[in-house]
């Protein structure tokens, strides 16, 4: 939604806007002398294939269902907040008024994974480092997990849902699956099998719940 609105304000299509932005990153890495094995864009066909393959598998396993959701939404975060998290109606990170959004979406049944996640953290004390962030993620899980909307119908900029053409996948699930795209999930099986057992993620501290709760679930 953030990209779509920014593009409209600039008189561009979302694709034109992200093409321009992507090129700035390539130029920055070149100027800084930073090399990389792969430059991945989530608008690429291989990423669409990975997202659709993984989420179709999750749906086939019974963990995605259709429901209606209404809540307070921050466009900058691309995330919903509860009234307890935003008692004054503003995003706690961006200090901007939250919007009330209501849509029929597909939901990932995250609530089913509270106990498995607690077991995972217990069995692997070094799963999240440093310790302070591990405790923060654990605290989030212990508060109780709610099911999460993973699609949108109010925008069309995104990866299409293969089983329902009215929906595109919500940006955070699309983005998290890029970890798997990077090593060939759903496209290059041999490459994926070779790389995935040894994966480590370096992440920003403000996105703990996405990467350390939603993703492992």
């Amino acid at each position: 939604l953030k990209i779509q609105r920014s593009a409209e304000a600039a008189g561009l299509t979302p694709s034109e806007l992200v093409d321009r932005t992507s090129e700035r990153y390539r130029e920055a890495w070149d100027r800084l002398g930073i090399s990389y094995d792969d430059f991945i864009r989530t608008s690429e066909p291989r990423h669409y294939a990975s997202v659709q393959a993984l989420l179709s598998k999750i749906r086939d396993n019974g963990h995605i269902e259709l429901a209606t959701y209404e809540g307070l939404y921050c466009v900058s975060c691309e995330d919903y907040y509860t009234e307890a998290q935003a008692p004054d109606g503003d995003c706690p990170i961006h200090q901007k008024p939250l919007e009330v959004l209501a849509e029929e979406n597909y939901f990932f049944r995250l609530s089913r994974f509270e106990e498995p996640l607690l077991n995972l953290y217990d069995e692997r004390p070094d799963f999240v480092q440093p310790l302070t962030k591990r405790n923060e993620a654990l605290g989030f899980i212990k508060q109780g997990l709610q099911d999460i909307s993973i699609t949108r119908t109010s925008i069309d900029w995104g990866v299409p849902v293969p089983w329902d053409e009215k929906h595109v996948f919500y940006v955070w699930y699309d983005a998290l699956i890029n970890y798997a795209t990077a090593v060939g999930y759903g496209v290059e099986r041999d490459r994926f099998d070779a790389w995935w057992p040894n994966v480590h993620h370096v992440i920003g501290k403000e996105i703990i719940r996405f990467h350390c709760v939603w993703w492992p679930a």
Side-chain angles (χ1 to χ4, degrees):
L1 183 58
K2 179 168 53 178
I3 296 294
Q4 185 162 304
R5 287 185 179 179
S6 296
E8 290 169 356
L12 302 169
T13 65
S15 182
E16 289 170 336
L17 178 64
V18 298
D19 284 349
R20 178 184 298 179
T21 304
S22 174
E23 190 57 34
R24 290 175 60 200
Y25 277 97
R26 286 184 181 271
E27 291 171 358
W29 301 158
D30 288 344
R31 291 180 65 183
L32 293 168
I34 295 173
S35 62
Y36 42 84
D37 296 308
D38 198 352
F39 189 94
I40 299 170
R41 296 185 57 186
T42 56
S43 55
E44 293 177 306
R46 60 173 167 163
H47 181 67
Y48 278 42
S50 289
V51 171
Q52 292 173 333
L54 184 52
L55 284 164
S56 292
K57 189 171 183 178
I58 295 170
R59 178 174 178 260
D60 291 344
N61 287 339
H63 299 307
I64 292 177
E65 297 174 8
L66 189 65
T68 300
Y69 187 82
E70 180 174 334
L72 298 170
Y73 190 75
C74 174
V75 175
S76 296
C77 290
E78 298 279 13
D79 191 23
Y80 284 99
Y81 288 91
T82 65
E83 291 184 2
Q85 293 171 314
D88 59 357
D90 290 344
C91 170
I93 294 175
H94 294 95
Q95 306 301 314
K96 296 178 181 178
L98 297 168
E99 301 180 21
V100 177
L101 290 186
E103 284 188 302
E104 183 181 68
N105 301 145
Y106 285 95
F107 281 72
F108 173 60
R109 297 306 185 188
L110 181 66
S111 58
R112 299 173 180 173
F113 290 88
E114 186 172 332
E115 185 174 349
L117 283 170
L118 291 174
N119 291 338
L120 171 65
Y121 272 74
D122 185 55
E123 293 165 3
R124 297 180 57 187
D126 63 344
F127 182 65
V128 173
Q129 299 178 46
L131 180 62
T132 53
K133 295 305 171 185
R134 176 183 183 275
N135 291 341
E136 184 179 329
L138 264 176
F140 184 82
I141 297 167
K142 290 177 178 177
Q143 288 175 12
L145 299 178
Q146 297 181 342
D147 297 338
I148 302 173
S149 167
I150 65 167
T151 70
R152 295 286 184 271
T153 56
S154 58
I155 59 175
D156 55 16
W157 172 243
V159 179
V161 174
W163 63 84
D164 192 331
E165 62 184 15
K166 299 189 301 293
H167 293 251
V168 295
F169 287 115
Y170 170 43
V171 63
W172 269 108
Y173 267 73
D174 170 353
L176 291 167
I177 291 167
N178 194 36
Y179 290 136
T181 303
V183 286
Y185 182 87
V187 180
E188 299 176 77
R189 181 60 185 270
D190 290 344
R191 184 177 181 218
F192 180 79
D193 289 345
W195 282 101
W196 190 252
N198 305 299
V199 168
H200 293 80
H201 301 155
V202 181
I203 66 167
K205 63 184 180 180
E206 290 184 348
I207 46 181
I208 286 287
R209 65 185 179 279
F210 303 111
H211 296 261
C212 303
V213 180
W214 296 8
W215 173 246

